[in-house]
Amino acid sequence: MDRLTSMAVFVKAVDLGSFAAAADALDLSAPMVGKHIRFLEDRLGVRLINRTTRRQSLTEFGRAYYERCRAVLAEAEAADALVTDQLSQPRGRLRMTMPALLGRRCVAPILLALARQYPALELDLSFSDRIVDLVEGGYDLAVRTGRLEDRAGMMARRIAHHHMVVCAAPSYVEMHGRPERIEDLGRHQAILYSRPGWIHPWLFPREGRSPAEVTPPARLRLDDLDAIADAAAAGMGLAWLPSWLVRDHVRTGALVPLLADLPPYVFENYALWLRTPHLPLKTRLAVDALAAGLPALMT
């Protein structure tokens, strides 16, 4: 007999509580179920199930063997699914959560191209700067920026990185001068990214130490990076913004980079998903597409 098949019959008999129920579920005869169990017992040299005319119960070894069989069968199913994935196309709904502006500007275009390539793939995308629980939200995948606080039960893959740029409008620099050192920021007006009860400090790397945190004086505190870029381009103050956001502003001359002699702070960007024996094809292709396409959009 095939050992893997016999293990599957054994697990089904334990799960359903009787040989007869396992036989019905597997479209086998009850005697054939018994033959599979006896094949395993003879091969192992131990009894797995104590059987009477009225009931059956696992032996101590049978219980341990049952747990191991379940793991082996799950791995076998995952291996079969992997082969099936290689011969098929992604299909079904992919639910993702991502930071709002990064998602709209950089992530969504890559995923839309993936959806065009695979017509059976459905996208359900959430754009929010709020950190959500993947299990509670029913998400397949998340894109996160910065330090990953809690990765219990999660898998993560770095898919890109971006650096931060201190910048201002040429009109602001002409009127207020150009800061040359971090210490100069205290003499300038800034536009800060904030949420209720929290303001994001500007970070600057320091060799061998944690980054320097600076919160310049600010008349404007906004919770949208696009709005900060617009305010900075209007000459309202200095801004500390992602390179992918200011790139076009710098190219057109609406903003000029400052403190260019200082090493910029770098944020890592990750794809996160729940730990699973087999990563669905739709999720794996999305992660691969982001890892391939995001770096070019974020430099």
Side-chain angles (χ1 to χ4, degrees), residues 150-169:
D150 183 9
R151 289 178 52 186
M154 305 288 295
M155 297 294 291
R157 177 179 173 184
R158 191 175 77 91
I159 51 177
H161 67 270
H162 66 266
H163 65 272
M164 301 298 291
V165 179
V166 178
C167 55

Side-chain angles (χ1 to χ4, degrees), residues 16 56 73 102 126 132 153 158-159 238 275 277 285 299:
L16 298 182
Q56 68 178 39
L73 292 170
L102 174 66
S126 175
V132 299
R158 191 175 77 91
I159 51 177
L238 306 180
R275 188 183 299 274
L285 287 181
T299 54

